[in-house]
Amino acid sequence: MNSSNFTTVQNLEAAFGGESMANRKYLFFAEVARKIGFKDLAKLFQETAEQETQHAFSHFVLLHPELVVENPEALSAEQKREIMSRCLSLAIEGETYEYSIMYPDFAAAAQRDRHQSAADEFLKQVQESTDHANTFREAAHRFGLLKFVENYHADRYAEALTVLNGGQATAKVVSSDPQIRKWICRQCSMIYDPVAGDPDSGIAPGTPFEQIPDDWHCPICGASKKTFKLLEENVS
């Protein structure tokens, strides 16, 4: 949505939040009703919760039209990655706000109010939100890495097709410069580029593969460093 429509954006966010909260509240009521034997009321709360979910989705679609998928079959692999990357970015943003600002502020207020049980719950949520954000960051990192893996696979298939049709394979060579020499995982084809490094694993950009600690693992499949081999690249 156009960010210049500030009031409408705020209203949609508030509506999304309200419908989302209603969904979880009614699910809680449904659980209470089931526990004490009111099955019909439990069903009513459950059905209404599902309806509130659809209301929330309708608001969210207006907030983020870039995530609307009408024809999945028409999307390219790159477009699908872009959509999922956006979802992960929004998830990271939300969880980061929760653990860095919202819950610490809530916990501090609860402690001032001498409501220790609430403070303990908020502090617990700080850790859980941190864990969630880290998980989403790892997933986003893997999506980024998989883009290069899929490009590598596509290039290999394209070359195989060329050879199959009577053409010549492209000459390949391993770079002699460790600062730019790439390595590839035999298990999943993750490509380590020393120029980029692997910051999410603590490997700074500009780190040659040979200088990576031996306990480093492939960020995609978890294979050990010794699983990697030198990558032959097309001759320029």
Side-chain angles (χ1 to χ4, degrees), residues 114-197:
R114 298 183 180 180
H115 198 314
Q116 192 57 46
S117 59
D120 291 342
E121 174 64 19
F122 291 141
L123 291 173
K124 176 183 176 183
Q125 291 301 321
V126 168
Q127 184 57 54
E128 291 190 4
S129 293
T130 300
D131 293 341
H132 291 163
N134 289 336
T135 298
F136 289 137
R137 287 193 186 96
E138 181 180 355
H141 179 51
R142 290 188 180 184
F143 269 114
L145 294 174
L146 285 169
K147 173 182 178 179
F148 297 106
V149 171
E150 291 177 3
N151 285 344
Y152 171 73
H153 288 164
D155 287 344
R156 293 189 69 189
Y157 286 137
E159 183 173 47
L161 180 60
T162 297
V163 173
L164 182 65
N165 291 329
Q168 295 294 318
T170 305
K172 294 179 174 57
V173 66
V174 172
S175 173
S176 59
D177 184 353
Q179 297 296 326
I180 62 172
R181 186 165 56 207
K182 297 176 183 178
W183 293 68
I184 185 168
C185 177
R186 294 187 183 94
Q187 187 162 295
C188 72
S189 295
M190 180 269 176
I191 298 172
Y192 177 78
D193 182 352
V195 174

Side-chain angles (χ1 to χ4, degrees), residues 182-183 190-194 197-198 203 207-209 212 216 228:
K182 297 176 183 178
W183 293 68
M190 180 269 176
I191 298 172
Y192 177 78
D193 182 352
D198 183 17
I203 309 301
T207 304
F209 186 81
I212 295 177
W216 177 81
F228 283 68

Side-chain angles (χ1 to χ4, degrees), residues 66-69 71-87 143 147 150:
E66 74 276 14
L67 301 179
V68 176
V69 178
N71 184 7
E73 291 75 17
L75 296 175
S76 66
E78 180 62 25
Q79 289 173 318
K80 292 177 182 178
R81 280 195 298 270
E82 288 178 358
I83 291 172
M84 293 316 304
S85 294
R86 179 60 176 150
C87 290
F143 269 114
K147 173 182 178 179
E150 291 177 3

Side-chain angles (χ1 to χ4, degrees), residues 7-20:
T7 301
T8 298
V9 169
Q10 282 193 315
N11 289 340
L12 282 170
E13 289 177 343
F16 174 73
E19 298 287 1
S20 300

